[in-house]
Amino acid sequence: MSTEEDTVQEKKTISLKTSDDEVFELEENVAMEFGTVKAFFGDDGVPRDMMMPIPNVHSKELTRIIDFCTKHLDLKPKAELDEAGKKELRKFYKEYMKEDTTERIMELILAADYLNVNDFLDLLNQTVADRISNKSVEYVRKLFGIESDYTPEEEEALREQYAWAFEGVDEDPAED
Amino acid sequence: MASEEVDCISELPDEIVTHILSYLPVADAFSFKLVSRRWSRIQVPLSNIYFSDETIFGKTIFFEGCSNLEKLKSEFVDKVDGFLNLFRGPYLNTFMVDFCLDNESAPAIDKWVSFAVSMQVESIELAFNNTNSQTLYKFPFDLLPEPKPFTRLKRLKLSACSLLLTPESPPPFNCLKTLELKNLPLDQTSLDGVLSSCLDLEWLTLEECEWPRTLCVSSAGLRGLRVHHHLPTSTIELNATQLQTIDLKGRALKLSFLVVPPLERVHLAFLNPYAAKIFFDLLPAEVRPKFQILSLKWFTANSIHARIPEFSCLKQLDFFSPIYREFDLLSITNLLNACPMLQKIHLNMNISSRHSESRIIEKVEYSNNMKYLHLEEIEISRFRGTSNQMKLVIYLLNNAVALKLITLIYSQCESHDYKWRNVEHLSQSKLLSEKQVHELLCKVMISHGAELIIC
């Protein structure tokens, strides 16, 4: 067994209060992944034991964001070391959002945007983009529940103007 | 399908939607404009990249006689490499490099071209300032994207490069619409190879290019050709059934047509008095009548002769000329007489001589009895009110029975040679002011239905 460290690291935590009045205690290094939190506490000034309100974020989203940041913080330094680490990080990115509905991803995007969690935001945006990449316009509308506000003539004109962009679009998946 | 599905993406702020869209391939960014009006308003950032001495080093570099040119070149290459490594897209609109580079930097330049292509760029321009024909960068045409599945690259401009082509391996097809070659050595084999690979080519520019004697330009879809050059006695054979526009500038260029194109717009700027004659003489009889727009830059003191072949369809004539002392303005009427269907004239008279009065050396014959039945619009730029100009205007007013509008523009144009000109100079010559011109012309125009604008 390793010998005791001479200096014991004090576990620093930061408290966040969500919109549904839940209080979360996070390890400081995880909390500092949130750009908003980092800016709030700054290098000095606001004492770390102060509780930071995040009224725009629900506990449901925060739980997930904390989960991502914790895992991400663990994998990132390993990815810098070797190929195996890089592979693991890539796998993490690929699998992490697989099960979530698009609606859920949207909620997470809003939360991650507010908290300024850039790495997670990138992943979320990329995931949405992957889901709509090369799909038809109708598919995108259905996915997000958007109703077209174009007249049929306007739409026709646009289709002609960007004809080149519609080549090779995926077939819409069969309805179930 | 739940009809009450929340339009969750409309709750997302525009910046986030932009961010999502920026991850998508170019085609989606445009096709998704159809999703809703809001989506079409969201601008996905497209970048234009321009690497030059100014943008990389922050100053203008004079390549000739530059002592540490090699060092600068390698620094330039490193900096461009560095920038492109960090570039996070999403994609590019245009990519241009403007520096003194040669084939030594070929590996780096090839990479930049590939990168630009992968970024779905619309236009690539390599402007290399290289006077040594032995070391020209060889542009590899096989780097250009193929038509399928989809590509945005439509324009390529190469300056001081050379075409890397062998007869054994013709380049694959590409989607270029515009190809501009400048300061490039050309030979028939490479040009053939390039033109046959550009299935969609509509516009070709050859500027200051060298070729042996005769060059055949053969392209089925070509709509426009521009040739600017100063080499003596060169010939171009044109095999382009769709050619509508020609733009020629420079010394005498012999143009011969293997097929008769529907040539409608012709721009000629001849520096040599015989070049115009050669051009018109060589024009097949079937070609000339199709001209609809003719723009002529007449850089010679020779007045226009009466024996000009007819342009039976010509609707618009743009005539630009520095007024030489010997040039008889009224000889322009010879040209007008050859165009019975003429509707619009723009005359731009750049006064380059000290005196506004020109001594007419050649007495050119011109007919005073021609009526211009279709001429509706006349515009004269750099009007000075000189007596010759007034004579021309009055002649036109008298003979253009269908005239609707005549505009005389006094205001300084964007000409370079006026920068040094002493304005007092001009006032010493016999010039009429706008007011005087107006008074004079009003008398002529009393019975005319046309509108006169002097500005």
Side-chain angles (χ1 to χ4, degrees):
Chain A
M1 286 297 147
S2 55
T3 54
E4 284 272 47
E5 300 278 300
D6 286 329
T7 54
V8 178
Q9 296 275 12
E10 227 183 69
K11 259 242 165 99
K12 296 201 186 121
T13 62
I14 292 204
S15 305
L16 302 175
K17 184 166 171 193
T18 62
S19 59
D20 47 325
D21 282 338
E22 262 204 56
V23 178
F24 284 72
E25 267 196 42
L26 302 84
E27 285 182 29
E28 186 175 330
N29 58 343
V30 175
M32 285 307 165
E33 290 285 291
F34 303 0
T36 323
V37 174
K38 195 164 174 194
F40 181 81
F41 288 102
D43 282 330
D44 45 44
V46 182
R48 298 296 158 98
D49 53 11
M50 177 152 174
M51 181 159 66
M52 175 180 172
I54 44 172
N56 285 22
V57 183
H58 194 275
S59 57
K60 204 164 155 228
E61 272 73 66
L62 186 59
T63 313
R64 189 63 187 282
I65 293 179
I66 294 173
D67 179 65
F68 173 86
C69 288
T70 317
K71 293 186 174 145
H72 191 241
L73 270 176
D74 183 50
L75 288 171
K76 225 166 121 178
K78 293 184 192 160
E80 317 257 322
L81 289 179
D82 58 17
E83 247 334 293
K86 282 202 183 91
K87 241 175 114 178
E88 222 190 313
L89 185 62
R90 276 199 294 266
K91 186 159 172 248
F92 171 70
Y93 283 147
K94 222 170 120 191
E95 310 279 300
Y96 193 70
M97 302 308 302
K98 233 164 140 179
E99 302 299 318
D100 298 279
T101 64
T102 311
E103 201 181 327
R104 179 93 186 96
I105 296 181
M106 294 304 170
E107 290 163 358
L108 287 169
I109 287 181
L110 284 170
D113 182 50
Y114 176 80
L115 290 172
N116 229 322
V117 191
N118 288 331
D119 288 326
F120 195 26
L121 198 52
D122 280 348
L123 177 62
L124 292 165
N125 286 332
Q126 177 78 68
T127 310
V128 175
D130 288 343
R131 291 191 186 186
I132 60 176
S133 169
N134 214 36
K135 292 286 190 293
S136 72
V137 171
E138 291 77 19
Y139 180 89
V140 173
R141 285 191 195 134
K142 257 195 224 142
L143 187 66
F144 298 120
I146 298 177
E147 273 208 45
S148 166
D149 47 358
Y150 287 118
T151 66
E153 295 81 34
E154 286 171 339
E155 198 175 317
E156 188 56 47
L158 277 173
R159 259 184 209 276
E160 244 193 81
Q161 188 181 350
Y162 298 120
W164 55 266
F166 290 94
E167 290 170 32
V169 166
D170 288 349
E171 293 259 345
D172 286 357
E175 308 241 332
D176 42 8
Chain B
M1 288 263 91
S3 52
E4 284 127 27
E5 257 176 30
V6 170
D7 179 1
C8 34
I9 211 171
S10 77
E11 290 177 353
L12 293 177
D14 278 1
E15 307 86 61
I16 300 229
V17 181
T18 310
H19 201 183
I20 294 176
L21 292 180
S22 73
Y23 281 104
L24 294 169
V26 178
D28 286 337
F30 286 94
S31 71
F32 288 168
K33 281 179 187 284
L34 266 77
V35 169
S36 75
R37 282 182 205 273
R38 181 176 168 243
W39 278 54
S40 80
R41 276 194 298 267
I42 291 177
Q43 294 287 10
V44 186
L46 289 175
S47 300
N48 296 318
I49 282 195
Y50 175 53
F51 295 123
S52 69
D53 49 2
E54 289 284 334
T55 58
I56 294 279
F57 294 116
K59 59 182 182 189
T60 312
I61 297 182
F62 298 100
F63 302 120
E64 303 233 346
C66 179
S67 49
N68 58 339
L69 192 57
E70 290 310 314
K71 180 162 170 286
L72 282 175
K73 280 189 206 174
S74 108
E75 209 182 307
F76 184 85
V77 169
D78 286 341
K79 290 209 160 105
V80 173
D81 276 343
F83 179 92
L84 293 179
N85 277 335
L86 293 173
F87 189 74
R88 283 286 166 267
Y91 25 71
L92 292 177
N93 219 15
T94 64
F95 181 84
M96 177 165 168
V97 180
D98 180 354
F99 203 73
C100 183
L101 292 174
D102 52 39
N103 214 38
E104 250 188 71
S105 317
I109 304 173
D110 287 355
K111 257 188 7 213
W112 302 343
V113 173
S114 300
F115 175 82
V117 166
S118 72
M119 286 285 146
Q120 289 289 4
V121 74
E122 258 188 351
S123 150
I124 293 181
E125 182 168 341
L126 302 178
F128 297 148
N129 220 304
N130 186 358
T131 46
N132 182 350
S133 59
Q134 302 300 322
T135 60
L136 295 175
Y137 168 68
K138 296 191 175 69
F139 184 82
F141 264 82
D142 50 11
L143 285 182
L144 295 181
E146 312 227 352
K148 293 272 181 284
F150 154 74
T151 175
R152 276 178 86 216
L153 183 61
K154 297 286 173 225
R155 176 180 174 263
L156 175 66
K157 178 166 178 180
L158 302 174
S159 270
C161 299
S162 81
L163 306 172
L164 180 64
L165 291 169
T166 55
E168 301 84 41
S169 56
F173 293 130
N174 62 57
C175 277
L176 289 178
K177 281 211 161 115
T178 304
L179 178 63
E180 299 174 56
L181 306 174
K182 183 173 169 178
N183 287 323
L184 225 82
L186 283 175
D187 60 83
Q188 196 61 61
T189 322
S190 6
L191 188 65
D192 282 346
V194 170
L195 292 181
S196 58
S197 72
C198 301
L199 298 173
D200 287 340
L201 199 67
E202 289 180 3
W203 186 279
L204 175 66
T205 298
L206 303 176
E207 209 178 327
E208 306 301 335
C209 292
E210 278 185 25
W211 62 81
R213 287 280 142 160
T214 307
L215 190 70
C216 178
V217 174
S218 187
S219 171
L222 198 68
R223 301 240 187 104
L225 173 69
R226 173 181 291 135
V227 183
H228 288 188
H229 89 311
H230 292 83
L231 294 174
T233 61
S234 296
T235 308
I236 287 193
E237 267 179 10
L238 271 178
N239 182 1
T241 49
Q242 311 241 21
L243 194 66
Q244 287 174 350
T245 308
I246 271 196
D247 181 337
L248 302 179
K249 181 174 169 181
R251 297 206 171 280
L253 175 73
K254 292 200 206 112
L255 211 62
S256 78
F257 297 86
L258 291 177
V259 291
V260 173
L263 217 48
E264 286 177 11
R265 295 155 166 266
V266 178
H267 305 272
L268 306 172
F270 293 123
L271 301 179
N272 175 314
Y274 304 109
K277 184 172 188 312
I278 293 175
F279 176 79
F280 285 117
D281 281 348
L282 283 179
L283 222 49
E286 313 89 35
V287 177
R288 195 196 329 109
K290 300 213 179 78
F291 289 9
Q292 297 209 3
I293 298 181
L294 174 63
S295 126
L296 209 44
K297 289 196 174 141
W298 197 260
F299 289 102
T300 164
N302 296 32
S303 309
I304 302 176
H305 283 268
R307 275 168 274 108
I308 293 184
E310 195 179 89
F311 297 95
S312 49
C313 284
L314 199 70
K315 295 211 177 87
Q316 180 172 325
L317 175 65
D318 293 342
F319 187 83
F320 172 93
S321 172
I323 300 295
Y324 294 93
R325 305 171 90 174
E326 299 78 23
F327 184 76
D328 180 8
L329 254 184
L330 279 161
S331 69
I332 291 175
T333 58
N334 284 330
L335 191 50
L336 300 180
N337 294 348
C339 315
M341 300 298 289
L342 199 58
Q343 288 176 6
K344 259 201 219 179
I345 310 178
H346 293 156
L347 300 175
N348 189 327
M349 300 162 189
N350 185 5
I351 296 186
S352 66
S353 76
R354 267 188 69 160
H355 301 285
S356 57
E357 294 279 334
S358 37
R359 272 177 313 140
I360 298 166
I361 303 275
E362 291 172 60
K363 205 52 178 145
V364 177
E365 303 210 354
Y366 51 88
S367 157
N368 248 333
N369 299 325
M370 271 302 269
K371 294 291 177 206
Y372 306 116
L373 301 173
H374 298 268
L375 188 55
E376 291 178 7
E377 202 182 305
I378 299 176
E379 184 183 296
I380 303 185
S381 304
R382 301 205 204 146
F383 192 77
R384 284 279 163 269
T386 67
S387 61
N388 277 330
Q389 287 180 341
M390 291 302 290
K391 269 193 219 150
L392 179 64
V393 171
I394 293 174
Y395 170 85
L396 287 172
L397 284 173
N398 283 334
N399 290 46
V401 294
L403 191 65
K404 290 202 180 125
L405 171 65
I406 172 163
T407 312
L408 305 175
I409 302 179
Y410 264 84
S411 30
Q412 294 285 1
C413 300
E414 317 76 33
S415 151
H416 309 294
D417 40 22
Y418 275 111
K419 287 209 186 106
W420 56 268
R421 190 160 276 284
N422 186 347
V423 184
E424 271 181 35
H425 244 258
L426 290 174
S427 62
Q428 282 164 16
S429 3
K430 295 199 189 85
L431 299 172
L432 295 175
S433 72
E434 284 117 314
K435 198 152 172 279
Q436 292 168 306
V437 169
H438 196 270
E439 276 171 24
L440 268 171
L441 290 179
C442 270
K443 293 193 199 125
V444 178
M445 293 190 68
I446 291 249
S447 50
H448 221 290
E451 189 188 333
L452 169 67
I453 298 179
I454 302 181
C455 54

